[in-house]
Amino acid sequence: MAQEQEPFGSILSCIDSRVPPELLFDTGLGDLYVMRTGGEAVGPVVTGSVEYGPMTSGTPLIVVLGHQRCGAVKAAYESFRDGKPLPGNLDAIAKALRPAYDQAVKEGGADPVETMSRAQVTLTAADLRSNQDLAPLVAKGSLAVVGAYYSLDTGAVEVLSGAP
């Protein structure tokens, strides 16, 4: 492992300290590429980081992992709902989550923040699946892009989209 790496998956998850992918999926050093951003927000650098494994070493799996009670999603939701921008660069996270907010408002539901969290996962996984560089790998079956949701209450991971 010190000479090279061959992770079997890439995980894009939240920065939340309660959701470390390596522990949730019981993996060791060298098993996963892990990218963590507030609310699984993406931009060119993050997308490039997610593309790295599949495009350079044939990593066959990308998981976009959202979770219950996400603070970043809650802050973005409240910012949009109340019309008050978040301070500093936190507002950039909120802006990246805007499509999930719009979908959550459209869908409604008992808990709009949880609806937004799930929407963020599904939208991000769909965007990665249709990404110009990843889509051909998905089409030929050498890459699966899965959206999943972690319950803090139960410890269960639920697949939301893209199950191979």
Side-chain angles (χ1 to χ4, degrees):
M1 184 176 61
Q3 299 303 313
E4 62 182 64
Q5 59 179 335
E6 292 184 36
F8 63 82
S10 297
I11 311 287
L12 171 59
S13 67
C14 187
I15 60 172
D16 193 296
S17 63
R18 302 167 293 176
V19 188
E22 298 89 343
L23 296 179
L24 297 182
F25 294 112
D26 193 27
T27 59
L29 291 174
D31 290 338
L32 298 172
Y33 291 111
V34 177
M35 288 67 53
R36 294 178 74 171
T37 66
E40 307 84 53
V42 295
V45 171
V46 174
T47 300
S49 297
V50 173
E51 292 171 342
Y52 181 82
M55 293 178 62
T56 64
S57 60
T59 305
L61 175 65
I62 295 171
V63 175
V64 178
L65 181 66
H67 66 94
Q68 185 179 29
R69 291 190 288 276
C70 179
V73 171
K74 180 179 180 185
Y77 179 86
E78 291 172 352
S79 170
F80 293 131
R81 181 196 65 199
D82 300 341
K84 296 180 181 176
L86 294 174
N89 287 304
L90 296 177
D91 201 49
I93 295 171
K95 287 177 182 173
L97 301 178
R98 183 66 196 229
Y101 173 81
D102 293 341
Q103 183 172 322
V105 168
K106 193 164 113 177
E107 285 181 24
D111 188 336
V113 173
E114 292 305 309
T115 301
M116 184 175 165
S117 291
R118 290 171 177 270
Q120 175 62 13
V121 166
T122 304
L123 290 168
T124 300
D127 285 347
L128 290 171
R129 225 178 272 115
S130 63
N131 166 302
Q132 71 177 9
D133 296 308
L134 298 177
L137 301 173
V138 172
K140 73 178 185 178
S142 63
L143 175 65
V145 181
V146 176
Y149 187 81
Y150 175 70
S151 169
L152 293 167
D153 291 340
T154 67
V157 175
E158 172 190 358
V159 174
L160 301 179
S161 66

